Amino acid sequence: MEQNKVRTYIFYAIGEILLVVIGILIALQVNNWNEQSKLDTKFKSTIEKVYNDLLLEEAIIKYRLDYFGEQISMMDTLLSSPDYYRREELPGRLLFVDLPRTPSGLAPQNAEFNMSLLDYSELNVEQSKLANKIFNYGLTASNQFNVDPGILETPIEDLMISYNIPTPPLSPALNDYQSDVYRAHFTNSHFDRAYQLLNSNELKTTLTTQRVMRIGALVGLTNARDENISLRNAIRDYFPDVSFIHQDIGIVGSALPAGWEPANKLSLTADPDDGFIFQGIFSFEDGEIKFVANDTWVANWGATPAGDRSLAANGQNISVGEGTYRVVVNFDTNRYSITPFEDE
């Protein structure tokens, strides 16, 4: 009888111990699930910021690609067909191709910061794979921007000074050097000296050297853009619902009564099915516009030098004519469209 009681107590004690152990294991598992859920949420939040940084970076890269492309094309014309441009155009064009535009430091500091915050579970194969891709991008993309430091120099401007040709400041905007206001800085004698300089061996050598540097920068930027797109696609595959962090997008400019003040912008409406697309119908006067976010100039977008409806971060003003237009901006593809509303 006593033995049966002892045996019963032992079984009971073992059962209690097993229940406690099982309870602890369940609690640990639940805690692990909770911690993993928090880690997943944090991981998605961080890669969403990285994704948005990459969008901005691509818009900057696009602007630089078009800019260097325009410079190279103009250099080719100056070298192969010295008489192609009118003499009154030469000073402005020579200064334009000489403008230094470094591709270094393009990656926004925010991107590097968000990459450093990337916390993930090494047991999660997908997270580990994506995290490694992000880290590798941070390393390789910066290498694409290591170009000849000579690209920052202005040797053509120095030659113009030696020929007693004025070198007034020139904006990167492509139309500035063609404007009558800019040409007013020069006289006929300056145009003649610019033509003499154009046909000199020293300028031809300088143009050739600068052209090679810009081609090198163009190759690096093209590779960086391709890697940027590849990484964004990988983030999209892992996190299809990644969203655009800027939700207060609007238009400012001389084509609007409110002018250039971001706080007075005309707001665009977010597409309910795609948070990267914003649109609206607006009436413009003859003038220029840009897109801004959050009532400041911190995040703003304009046109690229190529004028192909690509968005460029801190890009050029977009010219519009008088009329009513439907404006659509897609920040995922970095494209915009402005079409007459009457045509719809």
Side-chain angles (χ1 to χ4, degrees):
M1 186 72 175
E2 289 297 328
Q3 289 181 346
N4 290 335
K5 286 183 178 181
V6 171
R7 188 179 296 112
T8 300
Y9 289 146
I10 291 174
F11 286 149
Y12 178 79
I14 293 174
E16 288 291 322
I17 293 172
L18 287 175
L19 287 175
V20 171
V21 170
I22 292 172
I24 292 174
L25 291 176
I26 292 174
L28 287 173
Q29 186 62 45
V30 170
N31 183 66
N32 288 339
W33 285 337
N34 289 335
E35 290 301 318
Q36 186 60 51
S37 178
K38 291 179 182 178
L39 195 60
D40 289 345
T41 300
K42 183 180 179 182
F43 183 78
K44 286 184 176 180
S45 175
T46 304
I47 64 172
E48 186 169 69
K49 293 175 183 177
V50 171
Y51 188 91
N52 279 269
D53 289 336
L54 291 169
L55 286 176
L56 178 60
E57 182 181 83
E58 191 207 7
I60 297 173
I61 291 174
K62 174 62 177 172
Y63 180 82
R64 293 291 194 270
L65 281 171
D66 287 350
Y67 191 89
F68 284 127
E70 289 291 334
Q71 286 188 318
I72 292 169
S73 176
M74 199 174 296
M75 286 177 177
D76 288 342
T77 301
L78 290 169
L79 285 168
S80 63
S81 305
D83 295 318
Y84 181 82
Y85 298 119
R86 299 192 306 273
R87 293 196 180 194
E88 58 266 30
E89 295 181 58
L90 293 179
R93 290 186 181 275
L94 288 173
L95 286 169
F96 171 74
V97 298
D98 198 43
L99 276 175
R101 303 296 288 181
T102 174
S104 63
L106 280 181
Q109 291 183 355
N110 284 343
E112 297 174 4
F113 176 72
N114 290 325
M115 288 178 188
S116 69
L117 286 179
L118 200 58
D119 193 8
Y120 62 97
S121 171
E122 294 183 357
L123 299 178
N124 188 315
V125 177
E126 290 185 349
Q127 285 187 6
S128 297
K129 184 178 179 180
L130 181 56
N132 287 330
K133 191 174 181 66
I134 292 173
F135 290 139
N136 289 334
Y137 176 84
L139 295 174
T140 59
S142 60
N143 292 333
Q144 303 291 357
F145 305 139
N146 292 329
V147 297
D148 193 317
I151 204 170
L152 297 176
E153 299 173 357
T154 55
I156 297 176
E157 180 179 350
D158 295 338
L159 286 174
M160 292 178 68
I161 293 173
S162 71
Y163 272 68
N164 293 318
I165 303 171
T167 57
L170 180 65
S171 167
L174 282 179
N175 292 330
D176 282 14
Y177 67 85
Q178 301 181 61
S179 69
D180 292 335
V181 174
Y182 190 77
R183 289 174 186 167
H185 290 288
F186 308 98
T187 65
N188 287 333
S189 63
H190 295 144
F191 299 141
D192 291 339
R193 291 174 200 160
Y195 184 74
Q196 293 173 10
L197 174 60
L198 179 60
N199 287 279
S200 68
N201 289 330
E202 51 190 344
L203 180 65
K204 292 177 181 177
T205 300
T206 300
L207 281 173
T208 301
T209 301
Q210 291 295 310
R211 180 181 179 277
V212 171
M213 291 181 185
R214 280 157 175 76
I215 289 176
L218 209 63
V219 171
L221 286 169
T222 300
N223 292 337
R225 181 194 59 190
D226 293 343
E227 292 175 5
N228 178 298
I229 294 173
S230 175
L231 178 54
R232 287 196 350 249
N233 288 337
I235 292 176
R236 275 281 197 181
D237 290 340
Y238 177 83
F239 186 18
D241 296 328
V242 62
S243 62
F244 190 51
I245 59 175
H246 298 297
Q247 292 301 312
D248 186 15
I249 304 296
I251 302 175
V252 296
S254 61
L256 300 170
W260 292 100
E261 177 53 50
N264 299 328
K265 69 183 184 301
L266 293 185
S267 295
L268 290 156
T269 302
D271 189 306
D273 298 321
D274 191 329
F276 289 87
I277 297 177
F278 295 79
Q279 56 190 312
I281 298 172
F282 304 94
S283 293
F284 297 135
E285 301 293 333
D286 286 330
E288 298 176 323
I289 62 170
K290 290 189 78 171
F291 304 107
V292 296
N294 307 323
D295 295 342
T296 73
W297 284 106
V298 174
N300 73 87
W301 299 263
T304 65
D308 60 355
R309 300 297 188 184
S310 293
L311 283 176
N314 303 314
Q316 298 174 3
N317 297 342
I318 301 169
S319 297
V320 294
E322 182 179 0
T324 302
Y325 298 86
R326 177 181 292 279
V327 179
V328 180
V329 186
N330 188 328
F331 289 100
D332 201 24
T333 60
N334 278 318
R335 303 280 298 178
Y336 70 91
S337 64
I338 302 175
T339 55
F341 183 62
E342 292 80 5
D343 291 348
E344 298 187 0

